[in-house]
Amino acid sequence: MHIDGWTLLLQAVNFLILVWLLRRFLYRPVLAVIAERQAATERVRSEAEAARQAAEAARQSLEDQRTALPAERDRLIAAARAEAEAERAALLEKARGEAEHALEEARSRLAEERAQALEGLQRHAVDLGIRLATRLLRDAPAAVLTVPLLDEACAAVESLSAPQRHALADGIDPVPVRLTIAAPLPEGDTARTRDRLATALGRSVALELVEDPSLIAGVELHFAHSVVRRSWKQALAEAKEEMTRHDSERHTADAVA
Amino acid sequence: MTESPLTTPVVFLLGPVPVTLPVILTWGLMAAMTLGSALATRRLRVERPSPVQTVLELVVETLRQQIAETMQTDATPFLPLLGTLFLYLAVANLSGLVPGMKAPTAFLETAAALALIVLLASQALGIRRRGLWSYLKGFAHPTPLLLPLNLLSELTRAFSLSIRLFGNVMSGEFVIAIVLSLAGLFVPVPLMALELLLGLVQAYIFTILAAVFIGGAVGTIEKG
């Protein structure tokens, strides 16, 4: 058995050359493409991981939002409730004000209507009373009611001052006086009246008798420029006016109060 | 069977240098492997690799994984040496099955050259990785008394590597030649199938042992 040294050396060199050649033409390119693929895979994996983390973050964010949702909902509901409560209170207040206003108006209208009704009723009562009094007074004897009033009228003329009485006479002689009566007077009363007036005026009196049933009872002494009234017609008219005026004043005072 | 399998026929003389048959065969294999690699790696693509590229990547990645598992370290720095060792051995062993061809590894010089390269590479890599003094101290481990035996074992391991490879390949080819000369054309086919397996196994064994020796030298695994 013999070993050829040259062959051994050449084979060793050949092998080393083959190592270099395969390293150049096989390992380097194949390892490079494998590394490139691994890098690409790693890149894709990193991107997938980043996407996964992003998805996880999004999921976490959604989870947080979902967790916070009941609190937010409660807060919104509470706010809406408070707002609704405030609105309801405002509406109630407004409605209450409107109701009070309407009530006040109704009360005022009612009071006014009542006052008007009362006034009408009172006026009607006054009219009724006046009519009743008129009927009663008409049925009474003339002497009973009219004569005292005639005396009262004469007394009124007599109680005037001298200038006033002079003014009534107006410088005329005889003084024309129209005596309006509700019913015929006894003859003696007419003469007596003429005398009293002549005495009071200091002149003769031309008395003209006029009958006016509307006076109900009483007399009216018509001078040239003045009238002395002493009749139930006038008394009732004054009473009516007085009562009506009093009622109006009272109603006005009630309304103001 | 006209010549001894232990002789190395000289094809021609290049000055004083005799160019023998295994050298010529190795040149042919080198040319074929280099040309094949250059052609196969011409258009490598990251996306949708071709079937040839897939096979190349599978082979290279498998080699890297096997070396890494054996050496317990990153195999990329050792891939050119050990990967080429396996590929050359596999191609060379199987080339003997081609009619008219003879495996270069069936010659002792080839196996010895490869074993010598493994021996020198393991020493060089061990010194470079661990430092000269630290590496040399490793021969006196666990006791300086074992220094001669450790030094001897380095040489005997290389020797056993070369003899194992040479013996297996040469004997396989020799047996096939004998059977072929005795029994005719198709009788040695089962033996050739066995030789096919044997060639790959020998390539694997040689490469793994080389990885173990280098791994032991650089300190990534326990020295055997």
Side-chain angles (χ1 to χ4, degrees), chain A residues 25-26, chain B residues 30-42 52 56:
Chain A
F25 291 108
L26 180 65
Chain B
M30 285 169 64
M33 290 172 73
T34 305
L35 191 65
S37 297
L39 289 175
T41 58
R42 223 171 18 164
V52 175
L56 277 182

Side-chain angles (χ1 to χ4, degrees), chain A residues 69-250:
Chain A
L69 216 52
E72 179 69 12
R73 184 197 59 197
D74 291 347
R75 194 185 64 74
L76 287 175
I77 287 174
R81 272 193 187 140
E83 191 176 347
E85 187 64 28
E87 194 169 348
R88 191 179 71 87
L91 283 174
L92 271 175
E93 190 61 30
K94 184 180 175 187
R96 191 176 289 119
E98 286 177 354
E100 282 180 359
H101 182 66
L103 198 61
E104 196 60 37
E105 276 187 353
R107 274 183 189 146
S108 169
R109 195 161 56 245
L110 197 62
E112 194 177 337
E113 285 174 358
R114 192 182 62 182
Q116 287 175 356
L118 198 59
E119 190 180 342
L121 201 60
Q122 283 177 344
R123 195 173 291 120
H124 183 68
V126 167
D127 288 343
L128 195 63
I130 287 172
R131 275 205 303 276
L132 189 61
T134 303
R135 182 172 294 171
L136 289 172
L137 290 170
R138 262 195 198 126
D139 291 343
V144 174
L145 294 174
T146 302
V147 173
L149 290 172
L150 181 61
D151 288 339
E152 196 175 321
C154 289
V157 172
E158 286 165 358
S159 65
L160 291 174
S161 61
Q164 286 174 328
R165 287 197 302 269
H166 184 72
L168 280 179
D170 200 21
I172 301 169
D173 192 16
V175 179
V177 177
R178 191 174 71 240
L179 174 61
T180 305
I181 52 176
L185 285 172
E187 189 55 32
D189 288 332
T190 307
R192 190 168 50 86
T193 301
R194 188 182 299 119
D195 292 342
R196 284 185 70 178
L197 288 176
T199 305
L201 295 175
R203 295 170 190 237
S204 61
V205 172
L207 196 63
E208 179 192 2
L209 282 175
V210 176
E211 200 168 315
D212 182 3
S214 68
L215 293 179
I216 305 168
V219 299
E220 286 181 356
L221 290 172
H222 291 266
F223 295 95
H225 303 291
S226 305
V227 180
V228 176
R229 290 188 176 90
R230 288 296 183 272
S231 69
W232 277 98
K233 178 186 176 185
Q234 184 207 354
L236 287 175
E238 286 177 354
K240 182 181 179 181
E241 187 184 350
E242 184 73 12
M243 286 172 75
T244 307
R245 186 165 58 80
H246 283 174
D247 288 341
S248 297
E249 284 175 356
R250 194 178 68 237

Side-chain angles (χ1 to χ4, degrees), chain A residues 1 4 11 14 25 27 37, chain B residues 26-27 41 57 84 108 110:
Chain A
M1 184 170 161
D4 180 28
Q11 286 295 70
N14 283 342
F25 291 108
Y27 301 120
R37 184 177 296 113
Chain B
T26 299
W27 284 349
T41 58
E57 289 184 19
T84 306
L108 187 56
T110 307

